[in-house]
Amino acid sequence: MIGLEQYKEKRSFEKTPEPEGKIINDKRNRFVVQRHQARQLHYDFRLEMEGALKSWAVPKGVPLEPGIKRLAVHVEDHPVEYIDFSGEIPDGQYGAGNVKIWDSGRYEIDNEEPGYLGITLYGEKLCGGYALIHTNKKNWLMIKRKPVKDMNTKEE
Ligand code: MN
């Protein structure tokens, strides 16, 4: 279920520059990766979906090579406006620290099943097939899929 209640409960919008936001369902299928230097450095991976941003915190960063698995912790949905957010979250506020946009672009869903999401990313740094696989509670694994060989291409 998409919802921003948890997002709003955690923040004081008179103290943080983050957007308060609302559900905006214009289906633009964007993604963003934000480098978040909070108490612990992590990368927030967000997919525009059903009017909000489905979000995962990836402590070691999104994998750039096939075969590398990275823990991705599912976190609360964020408002669509958050996709452009960069800046300083003040001390004492939730997620205090610096947020920078690390990559952004569009995505397509290739395959969606309970506990599995296969997507293709069209970003500047991240391009190609990825999968998010639910493992336990809030924990997912993010992997870069191996490129599928074009069946029509003859071996040289
Ligand atoms: Mn974060």
Side-chain angles (χ1 to χ4, degrees):
M1 273 292 281
I2 290 277
L4 299 176
E5 293 75 19
Q6 222 191 336
Y7 173 85
K8 292 185 185 198
E9 274 168 21
K10 288 182 173 182
R11 291 167 175 82
S12 308
F13 294 102
E14 68 281 6
K15 293 182 186 153
T16 178
E18 296 166 289
E20 188 160 6
K22 54 186 184 291
I23 300 290
I24 300 175
N25 208 343
D26 56 5
K27 300 191 170 81
R28 290 169 67 187
N29 272 40
R30 293 172 294 170
F31 81 90
V32 69
V33 179
Q34 284 150 325
R35 183 187 187 277
H36 188 178
Q37 179 62 72
R39 208 153 24 111
Q40 297 270 343
L41 174 66
H42 60 274
Y43 292 76
D44 290 304
F45 178 67
R46 310 187 196 279
L47 296 173
E48 184 174 14
M49 214 178 255
E50 297 173 51
L53 301 175
K54 281 275 159 208
S55 299
W56 290 263
V58 188
K60 292 188 172 174
V62 176
L64 295 168
E65 300 296 334
I68 295 171
K69 295 183 179 120
R70 290 282 162 82
L71 172 67
V73 181
H74 188 224
V75 298
E76 73 274 15
D77 297 337
H78 279 51
V80 167
E81 292 108 295
Y82 210 94
I83 210 156
D84 299 317
F85 177 75
S86 61
E88 292 291 332
I89 301 170
D91 283 350
Q93 299 305 301
Y94 180 73
N98 178 266
V99 177
K100 282 193 181 85
I101 294 175
W102 184 81
D103 197 21
S104 63
R106 291 182 189 257
Y107 77 94
E108 285 170 4
I109 293 181
D110 307 320
N111 187 6
E112 191 175 10
E113 293 169 30
Y116 180 91
L117 183 62
I119 51 176
T120 300
L121 300 179
Y122 303 95
E124 288 182 19
K125 294 183 175 120
L126 302 177
C127 247
Y130 279 81
L132 281 151
I133 301 157
H134 187 216
T135 57
N136 182 34
K137 295 185 179 161
K138 287 172 181 282
N139 293 347
W140 293 62
L141 286 175
M142 188 171 186
I143 60 165
K144 184 170 165 71
R145 286 158 26 208
K146 289 194 175 77
V148 179
K149 271 202 175 154
D150 186 342
M151 301 295 276
N152 300 317
T153 307
K154 294 205 176 81
E155 299 285 336
E156 299 278 306

